[in-house]
Amino acid sequence: MHLVVDIGNSNVVCGIFDGSTCLHNWRWDTIKNEQIKMYYQKRLIHNLLENKIDIPNITHVSVSSVVPQINDTIEALLDELFTVKSTFIQHNTHPDLVISTDNPIEMGTDLIANAVAAIHKTKDDTIIVDFGTALTFTVVTRQLDILGVAIAPGLFTALKSLHGGTAQLPEVSAALPKSVIGKNTTHAIQAGIFRGYIGLVKEIIHQIELEQGHRFSRIATGGLSGVLDPLNKEFDYVDKNLTLNGIRLIGMN
């Protein structure tokens, strides 16, 4: 079995794969205090035991992280628990991947994993839209050449920023209102953010394809990829396990 770990700014997601099948996945908050090791060790062991997964059956451990300050602690935890050495993905871990940006080392390993998994799935030039803490658009060719990325604040990031930066606007739930004209403050924020993000996603995809001169395959992923229902027809695939699968594929190289 293959343990896959995706360390993001808001959540740490773990997946257990048997071959290409994701048997289990677990999501926890990302913490950066002195309780890191105990917090994740307790949760990981609990979930392994609860799902009757014997630790010796874990033969591969692969990790993507965009939170470098906790990497050493997580690596020490994993190396203590498992007999196999954990692999932390870097920008140059995958031998066939090309990153055609000014500074490839700056590319988030979660986006690299998304690109690898997307091409494995589509075998086509692809735009991956990841609805996470940041809203990212990764553009990758079928030859595994990442052309570049567009980044906007994620949906929750935008909501929290609006609430935190104003005196009278409340923090609202992630829901798409029926009307774009809000009749109260909560609905007004939801209309502006969620309806606005529908337009943002469509426009970025349109401009990417306009610049490149052809339609791309399109994949949505991330924790909020299912919130914006009107965008469903814009995507060929919605795959919430895309990042985990990409980490698995890179870790098997």
Side-chain angles (χ1 to χ4, degrees):
M1 290 183 178
H2 194 158
L3 171 66
V4 170
V5 185
D6 177 23
I7 303 172
N9 288 295
S10 299
N11 297 108
V12 172
V13 183
C14 289
I16 298 289
F17 282 83
D18 184 3
S20 60
T21 303
C22 186
L23 301 177
H24 309 282
N25 64 71
W26 312 303
R27 179 181 296 267
W28 311 306
D29 291 339
T30 300
I31 65 168
K32 304 168 189 175
N33 57 35
E34 66 278 0
Q35 300 297 319
I36 293 172
K37 188 173 182 180
M38 183 176 69
Y39 177 88
Y40 293 117
Q41 185 178 57
K42 178 180 178 180
R43 282 156 180 77
L44 182 54
I45 291 174
H46 170 78
N47 280 281
L48 290 171
L49 290 174
E50 186 176 55
N51 291 282
K52 298 180 174 57
I53 299 169
D54 294 329
I55 287 177
N57 288 338
I58 303 295
T59 57
H60 296 82
V61 179
S62 302
V63 184
S64 163
S65 174
V66 296
V67 190
Q69 61 264 45
I70 72 173
N71 287 358
D72 289 345
T73 303
I74 296 295
E75 184 173 14
L77 182 163
L78 295 172
D79 289 348
E80 287 176 14
L81 277 180
F82 303 104
T83 57
V84 292
K85 180 70 176 174
S86 54
T87 299
F88 276 68
I89 294 171
Q90 304 295 328
H91 73 282
N92 56 357
T93 303
H94 195 291
D96 299 324
L97 182 71
V98 176
I99 303 176
S100 296
T101 62
D102 295 339
N103 297 294
I105 196 170
E106 294 177 351
M107 179 72 62
T109 53
D110 55 338
L111 304 186
I112 291 171
N114 283 347
V116 170
I119 298 307
H120 183 80
K121 178 187 276 289
T122 69
K123 309 291 191 299
D124 189 19
D125 299 345
T126 303
I127 300 168
I128 307 109
V129 183
D130 192 333
F131 293 83
T133 305
L135 174 65
T136 60
F137 301 77
T138 304
V139 185
V140 58
T141 71
R142 69 192 70 191
Q143 291 83 20
L144 263 184
D145 183 355
I146 298 178
L147 302 181
V149 180
I151 303 175
L155 286 163
F156 275 141
T157 304
L159 288 171
K160 289 178 180 178
S161 176
L162 193 61
H163 168 63
T166 57
Q168 291 185 298
L169 295 181
E171 188 168 2
V172 303
S173 60
L176 184 69
K178 293 181 180 179
S179 173
V180 74
I181 304 171
K183 297 298 186 181
N184 57 59
T185 302
T186 295
H187 288 169
I189 293 171
Q190 290 171 333
I193 295 292
F194 290 97
R195 292 288 174 183
Y197 267 70
I198 291 168
L200 185 158
V201 170
K202 288 182 178 179
E203 178 64 12
I204 294 291
I205 291 174
H206 171 70
Q207 288 298 326
I208 289 170
E209 294 179 342
L210 192 64
E211 288 183 15
Q212 295 300 311
H214 65 95
R215 190 189 187 280
F216 280 58
S217 289
R218 305 163 180 181
I219 298 181
T221 190
L224 287 171
S225 57
V227 171
L228 302 178
D229 289 342
L231 282 174
N232 288 346
K233 64 181 181 297
E234 301 295 323
F235 293 101
D236 303 299
Y237 309 93
V238 175
D239 186 349
K240 290 189 176 181
N241 287 329
L242 189 75
T243 310
L244 291 179
N245 195 40
I247 299 168
R248 176 190 70 84
L249 289 166
I250 296 171
M252 296 300 294
N253 262 282

